[in-house]
Amino acid sequence: MSRDTGARGVRRGTRLRGGASLAALLATGALLAGCGTAVPEAADTEAPEPAAVAIPAPAEPEQDGAAADDAAGNASGIVTTEGDQGEGDQEADDDQGEEVPGPAAANLPASWAGTYSAESLPLGSGYLVVQNLYGEHRGATSMEASDIAGQEFFASSGATCEGAATLAGDTADCVLPDDGRGMGEQAAVVHLVPAASGATSLLVEVDVSDGLAVAEAPQGIGGLSAAVPSEVALEEVEGAMVTAVMMADSPEGPLPEELGARCELRDGGRHALCEIVGTPDGGGDGSWYGTLQPGYGNYVVLATKLPA
């Protein structure tokens, strides 16, 4: 897979123009480019409740030659809902130890409680990776250990795996050899989760001792350059959300001319509410909720599709 995972070129209230490729869109490293999402807890059997969130309307396409809106001034925008306890006021503390984030600043489906889609792990508690699946494994509902170990993220590190991962069910276990950072071997729990456009992906928890559950909804991951939430820029989040959705479609290829994203940052930059339009055959169109999670070195944004 040759795509990077830190998308560029998407600005608030604008849409991507044709001619760009997905390989050019994604720019933070092939490590994150391979990963997927996780399954919900077995006890979660009721259908998700409709999300009562205010979705910003998608912007009209740019006229040829028109300058894109400048999103830099909106990078620190914070939108909270009634009952939010002012997570945004803690931004100053983020640079001094990264306090454990609060709950999502939006009304989400009740079934998302306690999942990675709504709540963040603190930095230093492990990291999340998504391995997108293509070819014969695209849309898989189960994967054996040998197939998991052969995927790029695991094969490139020489990981060994056992067990089988099933969609919204069992997880597999892998062991990653010492990566040279002095951390020794690391344990990885592998979930098989839905993704956009009818695909499935592997959501991997690496070295996480007290992990969260996974939502039963399409998910994906996009990389960010930020090391703390207060450094998260709106434009980069919008690009990362497009990356998370589009990587499920294919690893390369031209971007649709009408592809675009518009997001609002929430909870001091730890969450984002986005509307994505123009994906191939509409397979990723809709409202998506982004949650910052620790990645390999920097934050990533876990994008989860809200119910229609």
Side-chain angles (χ1 to χ4, degrees):
M1 292 178 291
S2 60
R3 286 190 191 166
D4 298 330
T5 57
R8 297 194 298 263
V10 184
R11 304 182 75 87
R12 189 173 190 269
T14 65
R15 297 189 182 180
L16 295 175
R17 291 199 172 112
S21 69
L22 290 173
L25 175 68
L26 315 164
T28 43
L31 176 68
L32 296 175
C35 304
T37 61
V39 274
E41 295 177 325
D44 225 350
T45 58
E46 295 184 358
E49 298 175 4
V53 289
I55 306 296
E60 293 299 321
E62 289 183 290
Q63 297 299 320
D64 291 342
D69 292 339
D70 184 1
N74 298 310
S76 61
I78 302 170
V79 180
T80 58
T81 58
E82 183 178 356
D84 180 57
Q85 299 301 311
E87 283 295 319
D89 296 336
Q90 298 180 6
E91 287 188 51
D93 297 332
D94 289 332
D95 298 314
Q96 303 175 7
E98 284 300 306
E99 296 295 328
V100 177
N107 295 321
L108 303 176
S111 61
W112 288 19
T115 69
Y116 288 111
S117 296
E119 302 175 20
S120 299
L121 290 174
L123 283 181
S125 60
Y127 63 91
L128 300 186
V129 177
V130 164
Q131 173 72 64
N132 292 284
L133 302 175
Y134 306 108
E136 63 178 312
H137 297 299
R138 177 181 170 82
T141 57
S142 65
M143 284 191 72
E144 298 294 331
S146 58
D147 292 325
I148 293 172
Q151 297 302 306
E152 182 179 5
F153 172 72
F154 300 99
S156 63
S157 64
T160 57
C161 302
E162 61 180 19
T166 59
L167 188 63
D170 297 333
T171 59
D173 296 307
C174 297
V175 176
L176 306 175
D178 190 342
D179 61 4
R181 297 191 302 172
M183 301 176 65
E185 292 185 342
Q186 293 181 302
V189 177
V190 184
H191 303 262
L192 183 62
V193 298
S197 301
T200 50
S201 301
L202 300 177
L203 178 64
V204 186
E205 304 167 284
V206 180
D207 207 28
V208 175
S209 57
D210 295 314
L212 300 172
V214 295
E216 190 173 3
Q219 301 168 58
I221 277 180
L224 297 170
S225 61
V228 293
S230 58
E231 296 176 354
V232 173
L234 175 61
E235 183 180 34
E236 188 177 22
V237 169
E238 289 178 331
M241 293 290 285
V242 168
T243 295
V245 174
M246 289 297 293
M247 283 294 291
D249 180 69
S250 65
E252 297 182 7
L255 293 168
E257 292 186 6
E258 64 275 20
L259 179 64
R262 186 175 180 179
C263 298
E264 294 177 359
L265 294 183
R266 301 194 167 198
D267 193 21
R270 291 190 175 98
H271 302 280
L273 185 61
C274 304
E275 184 78 6
I276 296 177
V277 296
T279 59
D281 299 321
D285 287 9
S287 303
W288 291 76
Y289 193 72
T291 299
L292 260 64
Q293 296 291 359
Y296 187 83
N298 292 320
Y299 273 108
V300 297
V301 60
L302 175 65
T304 308
K305 196 172 191 299
L306 287 160

